Amino acid sequence: VKAVACMREEQTTRAVIGRCWPDGVDEELRAHASSCPECLEIVMVATALREAHDEAMRDTHVPAAGQIWWRAALRAHTDSVRAARRPIVWLQGIAAACAAGLVMALFGSAWPVLRHASAAAWGVALPIADVLRSAMPFALAVLACLVVTPIVVYFVLSDD
Ligand SMILES: [Zn+2]
């Protein structure tokens, strides 16, 4: 167990999340990651999470909320790795984070928790979350109109 976290950890995480890994990063960071256990682990975990995320996005079409949950999940993972490096615990953690994240993305009922979790390192995502949340009543209203209007039209026309 290392007392101090790797200084390149944030850089490595951002590269994988930003889909720059491995081709878009400089040779030096790749060389570092291949010899640094923490960065190597981040690359493996982040790649797996990214694939799980892509899979989920193909099935459920919730792009912005999905971005936020999986970044929060990765962030939670790297924090927990610093605290305790027990493989089984964090594998369960990833599974739990994925499940929790999917539920959150689908129901959108945990905005404050997501915002708090992502606020530490992912400030850019927050305005998107705010926009989505404020747009949600409008989207629901539009959806309601789309459902109600044909029914109203049907009854109006059938009276004739
Ligand atoms: Zn490192």
Side-chain angles (χ1 to χ4, degrees):
V1 177
K2 276 203 227 169
V4 180
C6 172
M7 299 296 287
R8 314 292 300 270
E9 195 181 292
E10 185 78 16
Q11 203 181 347
T12 308
T13 306
R14 284 180 182 278
V16 180
I17 286 175
R19 296 167 190 276
C20 297
W21 195 274
D23 299 326
V25 297
D26 52 86
E27 190 64 43
E28 197 250 324
L29 182 61
R30 264 184 300 180
H32 165 80
S34 65
S35 61
C36 169
E38 294 201 37
C39 288
L40 199 59
E41 184 178 277
I42 285 166
V43 170
M44 289 191 304
V45 170
T47 304
L49 270 177
R50 196 178 67 185
E51 281 165 6
H53 166 259
D54 289 347
E55 189 80 25
M57 289 307 99
R58 270 196 293 276
D59 294 342
T60 54
H61 297 276
V62 280
Q67 287 288 335
I68 294 163
W69 78 252
W70 91 268
R71 287 177 174 186
L74 180 59
R75 189 71 220 164
H77 164 71
T78 54
D79 286 349
S80 71
V81 164
R82 287 200 193 95
R85 302 178 63 84
R86 287 155 58 199
I88 292 174
V89 170
W90 65 253
L91 277 177
Q92 287 170 339
I94 293 167
C98 288
L102 266 183
V103 171
M104 286 175 187
L106 288 173
F107 296 99
S109 59
W111 284 111
V113 177
L114 278 175
R115 289 182 56 171
H116 179 75
S118 55
W122 306 103
V124 177
L126 295 185
I128 300 171
D130 278 339
V131 168
L132 265 194
R133 191 170 61 164
S134 58
M136 203 170 282
F138 177 72
L140 287 176
V142 169
L143 189 68
C145 286
L146 288 175
V147 172
V148 170
T149 306
I151 297 173
V152 171
V153 169
Y154 172 81
F155 280 110
V156 167
L157 292 182
S158 65
D159 270 351
D160 267 349

